[in-house]
Every structure is written in structure tokens, then in C-alpha cells.
Amino acid sequence: MEIIVVETTAELGRAAAGYVCDQVEANPRTVLGVATGSSPLPVYEYLAANPHPDFRSVTCFALDEYRGLPATHEQSYASFVQHRISEPLGIPSARTHIPSGSMDDADSACSEYENLIQSAGGIDLQILGIGRNGHLAFNEPGSSFDSRTRVVALTQDSREANSRFFPSLEAVPTHAITQGLGTIQEAQHLLVVVNGHEKAAAVSRAVSGPVTEEAPASMLQRHPNVTLLLDHAAASLLPLTTPC
Ligand code: GLP
């Protein structure tokens, strides 16, 4: 695992954007996996604000979506991807895929999403964050390393963490559709972006703890091509890093 520690959130964005640009320059038809949440925002903002390769032939897949929110809801991940990623970078809407959170037949929505990823040839570069409880996408502790796209119940901790985006905790959906850990593991390159003290323990478990389904991000230790980009706060519990 390649681990890079930088000083600021802006530097995280710039460093991660460099990997995305290199990938799209090398292959304009890249299949890009995109994470939502606050951690990867500086990556998308840096890309949008600076010269970047043409994204018109890129296909993107979101990791997850709240169950029960219409795509038009301002806190849906469909809205996030449209407004923060696809539109600013110029990825056509026909090439922008988000699991459907509102389809009645959730099992069909999940299998269709898996099929869509397969038909696109699989994900070349997957951007990821890590939840403070160690989740990847919405794969909560206890998720199988072999899991595929499915409906999951959100833990109280994840709902509390995301309640900052909603008017109240009660307004945070209780379920989501998420790519599974098995699905995520199939991406060619995982680019993980994490910042802040509240993620330090999850980062430490991901990098140097036992590989266990109780710590979903420890799955990263099983993947052959991971780049972990951290600020000093997120890296503060790793061995051999300078405390800040
Ligand atoms: C969110 C998303 C994840 C994200 C994680 C961390 O709820 N489902 O894909 O990586 O939790 O989010 P943040 O970066 O906002 O801390």
C-alpha cells in the first residue's frame, strides 16, 4: 500500500487529482468510481478549478445511494454526483451511474448496477473515503469481504455522522444501496482520501490492524494496488508519522 501524508486538505485534493488526471490522460475512456461525502470534495474541486484532461469519454459509477431519497433530493448522492462531479468535470449524464435509491424492486436495482459495472469493463480507478467507524461506501462493520451491491441498514454511528447534512437525525435515511466490498475490491486501483482526527483510529485499523470484516477498511490490505492519501491528523495514529 502506498501511503502519502500531506499537510493540508487542499494538498490532499491536489495530490489525488493528479492520480485522476494521469489515469484519464492514459485512458480517456476510463471507468472512474466516485465516492461522495466530504473527504473527496477537495479532489473534485481541484479538478474543476484547474486544467484537466477531457472527461467526455469517462464513465463514472457512484459507490452508494440512500434508500428512499429521490434522485432530485438535495442530499441524495445522485444530486452530489451531478452537481459536484459530472457537471463540473463534463462527464455526460448518460455515462454517469448511481444506484437507484427509489426503485421499488431493490434487488433488481442492485443486480442491474452490478451488471452495468461489468458491461463497462469494471472500474479502473476507484476514489474512496473511510467512515469514522471504518466503513467503505456503506459497508458497515460486519460486512462480508465478498459482498456485492445490496441494500444495507445504516448504523446509528453512520446516521449520526451524516446528520450534519440533514435537518435532524430522524431525517437521515435508515437504509442505503451500496456496492459491496467484493465489488470494490475488483477495481484496478483504489485511491483512498482521508482527512481529520476523527478518522485517525479508522485509518490505523485499516492500515495496521488485523484484516477483519469488523473493520471493513482493513480490506485495503488485501488489495494489490492501493494509494492512501492522508492529512497529518488522519495519519496521527499510524506508526512512524510525526504527531501534529
Ligand atoms: C459516507 C459515504 C462513504 C464515505 C464515508 C465518509 O457516508 N457513504 O462513501 O466515504 O461515509 O464520509 P465523509 O468523507 O463525509 O467523512
Side-chain angles (χ1 to χ4, degrees):
M1 191 184 306
E2 176 186 37
I3 301 178
I4 298 169
V5 183
V6 299
E7 293 290 335
T8 65
T9 306
E11 284 175 52
L12 269 187
R14 186 177 55 183
Y19 284 89
V20 177
C21 288
D22 288 351
Q23 170 64 41
V24 176
E25 263 159 28
N27 176 11
R29 298 180 66 80
T30 286
V31 180
L32 185 65
V34 292
T36 53
S38 47
S39 317
L41 259 184
V43 186
Y44 309 131
E45 287 169 356
Y46 187 90
L47 284 168
N50 290 279
H52 58 71
D54 189 341
F55 279 75
R56 278 177 297 183
S57 299
V58 167
T59 298
C60 75
F61 284 92
L63 281 169
D64 46 15
E65 177 60 289
Y66 290 114
R67 181 93 181 113
L69 288 192
T72 50
H73 190 286
E74 63 172 1
Q75 290 308 331
S76 74
Y77 288 164
S79 289
F80 182 105
V81 171
Q82 180 190 350
H83 297 305
R84 309 291 199 138
I85 305 173
S86 300
E87 285 178 357
L89 300 185
I91 302 173
S93 54
R95 291 183 174 278
T96 298
H97 304 289
I98 300 105
S100 168
S102 52
M103 230 167 106
D104 287 338
D105 184 351
D107 288 344
S108 297
C110 295
S111 56
E112 276 174 24
Y113 204 64
E114 286 277 336
N115 291 339
L116 216 47
I117 294 173
Q118 293 298 327
S119 345
I123 290 171
D124 296 307
L125 177 64
Q126 175 65 60
I127 300 170
L128 285 169
I130 297 181
R132 68 185 186 189
N133 68 353
H135 72 208
L136 288 181
F138 271 133
N139 292 283
E140 302 285 28
S143 296
S144 164
F145 284 150
D146 295 327
S147 54
R148 311 301 305 186
T149 302
R150 68 202 187 286
V151 175
V152 291
L154 302 184
T155 59
Q156 181 72 0
D157 186 75
S158 291
R159 293 184 67 235
E160 279 170 8
N162 286 1
S163 64
R164 66 192 192 277
F165 301 117
F166 289 85
S168 66
L169 177 58
E170 292 67 40
V172 183
T174 56
H175 290 75
I177 291 187
T178 184
Q179 284 188 36
L181 293 173
T183 319
I184 294 168
Q185 275 181 91
E186 289 170 3
Q188 297 296 317
H189 182 188
L190 304 181
L191 179 62
V192 192
V193 183
V194 193
N195 65 293
H197 278 290
E198 70 161 4
K199 302 289 181 67
V203 166
S204 167
R205 290 183 79 190
V207 172
S208 44
V211 177
T212 164
E213 291 172 347
E214 289 313 308
S218 68
M219 176 275 268
L220 299 174
Q221 295 180 44
R222 295 165 33 133
H223 194 284
N225 191 8
V226 176
T227 302
L228 180 57
L229 283 164
L230 306 169
D231 70 355
H232 273 295
S236 58
L237 295 179
L238 291 181
L240 301 177
T241 54
T242 314
C244 50

